[in-house]
Structure formats: C-alpha cells, structure tokens
Amino acid sequence: MYHLKPDEIPEKGIKRLGNGLFRDAERRLGKLKDTDKAIHETRKDLKKIRALLRLVRDELGESTYKTNNVIVRDAGRQLGEVRDCAVLLERLDSLNENYAEQLSEEAFISIRTNLEQQRSKLLKRLLEDGENTIEQLLDTLKTTKDGITEWEINSEDFDAFYSSLRRVYLRGHSAMKKAQSKPTSENLHQWRKRVKYLFYQLGFLRPIWPEILKSLEESLGKLADLLGEDHDLAVLESSLNENSGGFRDDKEKQVLLGLIAQQRAKLQERAWPLGSRIYHENPRRFTSRMEAYWKAMEEEAGL
C-alpha cells in the first residue's frame, strides 16, 4: 500500500503516489500471464488512483479532477466484463461450499458451465481482438501518468485534503443512511463504492497515526468485502433471472435464488452495525480529528 510520508508536502506526496499507482497498472497490463489476477489487480490500482484524485479534488480543480477521473474510470470499465464474470464463478463456488449439506455434488453444473463459456469468450475477445485494446489502454494510462506533472496542489498542510476528505466521509455516511432506509442492490452498491474510497484514502494517510488508522482501514476493508460480496450475489441473481436456460429445471433455479437471498441477508446483517460504528461521527468532526492527527505527526517529525 502506498502512503504519504511525514516529511513531504502534499503535492510531492500525491504526485509520487499517482506515478507509482499508474506504473503498477501499466506493469500488470503488460504482463497478462495470470489474466484474472492481473485484471483484478489492475482494476484495484485504477480504483486507488480515483480515490487519490478524490482526496485532492478541491485542490486540483473540477476540470483537472473530472478529466483524469473519467479517463481512469473508463479504463477500468474496459476490463470489467471479464473480471465480473470470473467473480460470478467465484460466488457460485462459494455458495456450493457454504451450503454443501443442502446441495448435491452436481448442483448447478450447467450454470457453471455457461458462466465458464461466457468468461472464455470475453477473455478471448479481450486478448485476441484486443491486442489493440490492451495497447490502447497502456497508451492512455501512460499519457495520463505523464500529465501528473501538471497537477497543482498549492496547500502545504492538511488543508490540501480537508474539504475533499470531508466530502468522501459525508457521502459514505449519506449512502449508508439511504441504503438502510431502502436496501436495494443499487443503494448498497453505491454505499460500497464510498466505503472503498475512504478505505484507500485512509491508507494514503496512514502515517498520521498508524495504529489508529490501520484499525479503521481494516474495518473499512471488512465492510467493503461484505458489501462487495452482496453486490456480486445481486449481479449473479440478476444474471440467472435473465438467462434461466442454464438450469436443469425450475426447482434448481429456485433453490439457487433462495440460497442467494439467504446469503445476502447474512451479509447485510453483518454490514449494518459495522457501518454504524465507522460512520458514527459528524463528517466535520471526523475530518477535524484527522487534521489533528496530521498536526501531531508534524510535531513529532519536528516539522
């Protein structure tokens, strides 16, 4: 995980992190030996870059922020179909493992076969039609990375992050409340995205108080995993409803949909109290607390 250093001003640190994350994404894309893993890790790098942009959004200005954010977002989407299909297979296998006593050894073989075939087609299209696609992505990432030299971050203390970090925490808090009042798949997914942004941003800021922020990071990571698995199951459910031809009979379909609903209920039950603990503070108070940690770090470092 990349972190800001106590002895560097925000502009220097943000540019260093941005360059490192772009280099990681380029390196992974250029070496697709373990394709699923490489795509997954590349998409994580791109999400971290978007979180980094959000951390200094107000310093960069809307034009610079939006331009870079859209480029990185679209690059991630180009890799999304293959990764999403692989995730659906993982979730199906997880259901088989978690509910082994309720299922036969041949349960959902036809569905799994369909998913594997779909993944193979998408992967072939990406790698074979798409040497140009990968090359274009690499060119896009390199050009965007080169533009980091133009990023302007004028504040030399926590002011560089204050308003943007407060916004991310506020939006996570609001998304949680919306999901609690109306727990649709989309609302839960939107909350998860806000959780991930805060998770990555606190990782960047961890040196301001490593013990405290590492603990909060871990809780955010756990919450993101719960909401991520819930989203994957929701996508699997939607996919199965749209393509029901892979079932041997209607009973098999109803069993699988029932297991998905059961597992999603368990995940959400674990997510609510964890989210309430993380987002219990007023957004301004939370951000002021982070600022106090920053100032204490500077004092400790003799800055």
Side-chain angles (χ1 to χ4, degrees):
M1 183 68 183
Y2 287 98
H3 312 296
L4 292 168
K5 297 178 180 179
D7 61 347
E8 63 185 353
I9 61 173
E11 182 175 70
K12 180 180 177 181
I14 292 296
K15 289 182 176 180
R16 175 178 60 80
L17 295 182
N19 274 297
L21 289 168
F22 271 110
R23 280 197 303 270
D24 283 351
E26 291 173 17
R27 176 175 52 82
R28 296 187 214 280
L29 271 182
K31 298 180 179 180
L32 292 179
K33 293 179 180 178
D34 183 350
T35 307
D36 280 337
K37 182 177 180 181
I39 290 175
H40 175 56
E41 293 300 324
T42 301
R43 292 186 74 209
K44 280 175 61 176
D45 289 333
L46 297 176
K47 289 174 183 178
K48 290 176 186 178
I49 293 168
R50 295 184 69 196
L52 187 69
L53 288 164
R54 276 170 167 74
L55 184 59
V56 286
R57 178 174 183 168
D58 292 333
E59 286 286 313
L60 292 175
E62 280 300 289
S63 178
T64 299
Y65 163 75
K66 287 183 177 179
T67 297
N68 284 272
N69 184 58
V70 168
I71 290 171
V72 177
R73 180 201 66 194
D74 290 349
R77 286 178 177 175
Q78 286 182 258
L79 302 171
E81 281 189 321
V82 176
R83 177 56 192 167
D84 290 346
C85 195
V87 168
L88 295 185
L89 282 165
E90 291 172 8
R91 295 309 177 207
L92 189 61
D93 289 343
S94 178
L95 285 170
N96 273 309
E97 182 179 344
N98 291 337
Y99 298 97
E101 294 182 0
Q102 303 176 37
L103 300 170
S104 69
E105 292 183 3
E106 297 183 351
F108 316 133
I109 287 179
S110 56
I111 291 297
R112 198 181 199 292
T113 299
N114 282 358
L115 286 171
E116 287 174 339
Q117 291 172 347
Q118 182 182 356
R119 176 190 169 278
S120 295
K121 289 178 182 177
L122 291 169
L123 185 57
K124 182 177 180 180
R125 187 174 68 190
L126 177 66
L127 297 180
E128 293 186 7
D129 294 343
E131 191 166 335
N132 289 335
T133 301
I134 297 299
E135 291 302 322
Q136 288 169 1
L137 272 176
L138 285 168
D139 288 344
T140 298
L141 294 179
K142 184 180 185 305
T143 300
T144 309
K145 181 186 71 176
D146 291 343
I148 289 177
T149 58
E150 304 299 321
W151 291 5
E152 292 186 10
I153 301 169
N154 295 316
S155 298
E156 297 188 358
D157 53 23
F158 196 80
D159 286 346
F161 316 118
Y162 189 97
S163 60
S164 297
L165 182 63
R166 178 179 176 274
R167 181 188 296 112
V168 169
Y169 185 89
L170 172 62
R171 289 184 173 178
H173 185 276
S174 300
M176 179 185 70
K177 294 299 183 184
K178 185 175 181 179
Q180 285 177 326
S181 64
K182 192 175 181 181
T184 64
S185 298
E186 179 59 24
N187 286 344
L188 287 160
H189 180 48
Q190 290 301 318
W191 181 29
R192 184 228 181 186
K193 290 196 290 188
R194 305 302 176 189
V195 169
K196 290 290 283 189
Y197 288 139
L198 186 61
F199 167 71
Y200 289 134
Q201 290 176 351
L202 293 187
F204 301 143
L205 294 170
R206 187 191 296 178
I208 66 178
W209 195 349
E211 296 83 0
I212 296 297
L213 264 67
K214 183 179 179 181
S215 177
L216 184 51
E217 273 183 77
E218 289 173 350
S219 295
L220 282 160
K222 183 178 179 181
L223 178 58
D225 287 344
L226 292 170
L227 295 174
E229 185 174 348
D230 177 80
H231 174 66
D232 295 340
L233 290 171
V235 173
L236 179 59
E237 179 181 27
S238 177
S239 177
L240 297 176
N241 279 322
E242 291 174 5
N243 303 283
S244 58
F247 291 100
R248 288 178 296 187
D249 52 44
D250 189 63
K251 181 179 179 181
E252 184 180 65
K253 176 180 177 179
Q254 295 307 317
V255 168
L256 182 52
L257 292 176
L259 293 179
I260 289 174
Q262 186 176 338
Q263 185 66 12
R264 289 192 67 197
K266 290 181 179 179
L267 291 165
Q268 292 174 34
E269 186 178 353
R270 293 168 60 194
W272 300 128
L274 184 56
S276 295
R277 291 188 181 100
I278 292 170
Y279 289 102
H280 75 281
E281 286 183 274
N282 174 283
R284 187 177 299 279
R285 181 174 297 176
F286 169 82
T287 317
S288 295
R289 180 162 63 92
M290 296 300 115
E291 182 179 33
Y293 297 165
W294 175 279
K295 291 179 178 178
M297 176 194 70
E298 288 184 322
E299 292 177 7
E300 188 175 43
L303 301 176

